[in-house]
Amino acid sequence: MRTGELARSRRRQEAIARAVAYVILVAGAVAIMVPFAWMVSTSLKDKDQLFTRELQWIPTLPVTVRVAEQDYNVYTSLSDGRYGLLLERLPAGKLRIAWLGKEQPPETLSRVPDDVSIVPEELVAQYRRPGARWSNYREALTPPNFRFLLYLRNTLIITIAALVGQVLSCSLVAFGFARLRFPGRGPLFIMVLATMMLPAQVTMVPLFKLFVTVGWYDTFLPLTVPAFFATSGFFVFLLRQYFMGIPLEMDEAARIDGASSWQIYHRVVLPQARAAVATVAIFSFMAHWNDFLGPLIYLGSPELRTLSLALYAFQGEHSVDIQLLMAAATVVMLPLLVLFAVAQRYFIQGVVISGVKG
């Protein structure tokens, strides 16, 4: 009996702990999603809805009706809730409105009502209904506002080239540290780790002068070529840790069968390290897709701008059109969301197994 009570008490405590954990996780997820939801909501709003006193999450659009082959904006009276058709805007914030009968829907009108009066604008409100202004995306992403296809092409060239370079070079270096035995392997790996502690700002000026000297300024080369030389110590460390988890007996068996180190690398080790390679690829894609400082330093021509750089320029040119800015930002962010959704399994598996979670 006592054993049964202890078991039930333990199960109850585990259920409470699990419930508390879920509540904390859900609260954290909501807190993270709120800015993204606000961005998407703002990208679908009408410009008149941006600066309202009340926080509005659902976009709305002003209601217009067509009467006698002419469109009228619909307003409502703040005192009695009657609908009215805006006939004319007058000086000093006055509106000339034709009022409908009580509880008469504006969509049923066949002619303009005769009950016309002039009222101050603060006594009426524009009648709006839930609706999304999808045209914000078309307006934000078409020239001359935003040369989306050109910037997308530039970003893809840099991102894919750097991704391929980092995956190949970092996996090769990590393979050497994890599977090969050579003098100085330990000190060399410590030196690679030490590069992770060196702030990028320290090497910024020397690298800029170097690339200007060799004539690479205002080209994609400074943003892609270094990736082919295993310049990311973190990726080398991540892959090395994963490669070390693969049994060495597989290498020895392959060598008995006559395999070279290169064949062991791409036929034995890499096929078993798909999760770690996918993790490196995702990290690299995200870093170069969102990179702002690199393109800002090395790219001067507007035709070579990446999406992040173009979005910054767009913000300066359209600072008052927040709905257009949010629409462009949503589209720029969309590929990252799709990538994570597709490769989520590899991403989580690689991070957990490599022991770098948290």
Side-chain angles (χ1 to χ4, degrees), residues 195-208 293 297-298:
T195 61
M196 297 168 59
M197 306 171 192
L198 190 66
Q201 291 79 2
V202 174
T203 59
M204 190 178 296
V205 174
L207 284 176
F208 178 77
L293 192 58
I297 293 174
Y298 297 116

Side-chain angles (χ1 to χ4, degrees), residues 259-275:
S260 63
S261 297
W262 170 253
Q263 290 172 325
I264 294 173
Y265 162 74
H266 74 90
R267 290 189 177 180
V268 177
V269 176
L270 276 189
Q272 300 186 61
R274 289 194 186 96

Side-chain angles (χ1 to χ4, degrees), residues 179 246-261 263-265 267-269 272:
R179 316 296 288 190
I246 301 173
L248 282 172
E249 288 78 7
M250 302 185 71
D251 295 17
E252 296 167 357
R255 289 192 190 280
I256 292 174
D257 292 338
S260 63
S261 297
Q263 290 172 325
I264 294 173
Y265 162 74
R267 290 189 177 180
V268 177
V269 176
Q272 300 186 61

Side-chain angles (χ1 to χ4, degrees), residues 270-335:
L270 276 189
Q272 300 186 61
R274 289 194 186 96
V277 173
T279 302
V280 169
I282 292 171
F283 281 151
S284 176
F285 185 92
M286 293 172 63
H288 291 93
W289 184 271
N290 290 325
D291 187 20
F292 173 75
L293 192 58
L296 180 66
I297 293 174
Y298 297 116
L299 302 178
S301 302
E303 293 76 16
L304 297 179
R305 286 175 178 168
T306 59
L307 282 172
S308 58
L309 203 58
L311 193 61
Y312 174 73
F314 186 87
Q315 181 181 0
E317 297 167 0
H318 300 269
S319 58
V320 295
D321 298 323
I322 296 178
Q323 76 284 4
L324 302 183
L325 180 62
M326 293 298 108
T330 302
V331 173
V332 171
M333 188 178 176
L334 200 58

Side-chain angles (χ1 to χ4, degrees), residues 146-161:
F146 199 82
R147 302 169 68 181
F148 177 73
L149 293 179
L150 174 64
Y151 303 144
L152 176 65
R153 188 204 66 178
N154 296 339
T155 307
L156 285 176
I157 290 174
I158 295 173
T159 302
I160 294 176

Side-chain angles (χ1 to χ4, degrees), residues 211-280:
F211 292 138
V212 170
T213 303
V214 298
W216 285 7
Y217 177 72
D218 207 18
T219 68
F220 293 153
L221 296 177
L223 303 171
T224 54
V225 172
F228 287 84
F229 293 91
T231 52
S232 175
F234 172 70
F235 291 161
V236 173
F237 167 75
L238 185 73
L239 291 168
R240 174 187 176 269
Q241 297 303 105
Y242 198 99
F243 291 164
M244 290 181 70
I246 301 173
L248 282 172
E249 288 78 7
M250 302 185 71
D251 295 17
E252 296 167 357
R255 289 192 190 280
I256 292 174
D257 292 338
S260 63
S261 297
W262 170 253
Q263 290 172 325
I264 294 173
Y265 162 74
H266 74 90
R267 290 189 177 180
V268 177
V269 176
L270 276 189
Q272 300 186 61
R274 289 194 186 96
V277 173
T279 302
V280 169

Side-chain angles (χ1 to χ4, degrees), residues 29-191:
V30 171
I32 292 174
M33 287 299 296
V34 163
F36 177 72
W38 183 86
M39 180 179 71
V40 175
S41 172
T42 304
S43 70
L44 297 172
K45 287 180 180 176
D46 189 68
K47 191 173 183 179
D48 297 336
Q49 199 187 2
L50 296 177
F51 302 102
T52 57
R53 293 181 179 179
E54 299 82 13
L55 183 61
Q56 297 180 353
W57 287 95
I58 300 177
T60 59
L61 294 175
V63 175
T64 60
V65 294
R66 190 169 185 81
V67 180
E69 299 184 352
Q70 187 171 350
D71 293 329
Y72 295 93
N73 288 326
V74 180
Y75 278 69
T76 57
S77 171
L78 297 178
S79 58
D80 56 11
R82 281 198 304 167
Y83 295 112
L85 305 185
L86 175 64
L87 301 180
E88 185 181 8
R89 284 187 173 276
L90 302 174
K94 301 291 183 60
L95 304 178
R96 195 160 72 90
I97 294 180
W99 296 104
L100 284 67
K102 285 191 174 181
E103 300 182 358
Q104 181 181 7
E107 293 84 356
T108 60
L109 284 177
S110 59
R111 66 180 182 83
V112 177
D114 298 328
D115 183 9
V116 177
S117 64
I118 297 176
V119 296
E121 192 169 2
E122 57 267 21
L123 298 182
V124 296
Q126 195 172 22
Y127 181 46
R128 309 178 70 93
R129 284 178 178 166
R133 186 172 290 281
W134 295 101
S135 59
N136 288 342
Y137 285 83
R138 185 181 67 249
E139 187 176 351
L141 300 179
T142 51
N145 289 333
F146 199 82
R147 302 169 68 181
F148 177 73
L149 293 179
L150 174 64
Y151 303 144
L152 176 65
R153 188 204 66 178
N154 296 339
T155 307
L156 285 176
I157 290 174
I158 295 173
T159 302
I160 294 176
L163 186 153
V164 173
Q166 284 192 319
V167 169
L168 288 177
S169 61
C170 292
S171 61
L172 271 172
V173 174
F175 174 79
F177 283 125
R179 316 296 288 190
L180 303 181
R181 300 291 180 266
F182 55 89
R185 187 182 64 158
L188 281 176
F189 184 64
I190 292 176
M191 289 178 63

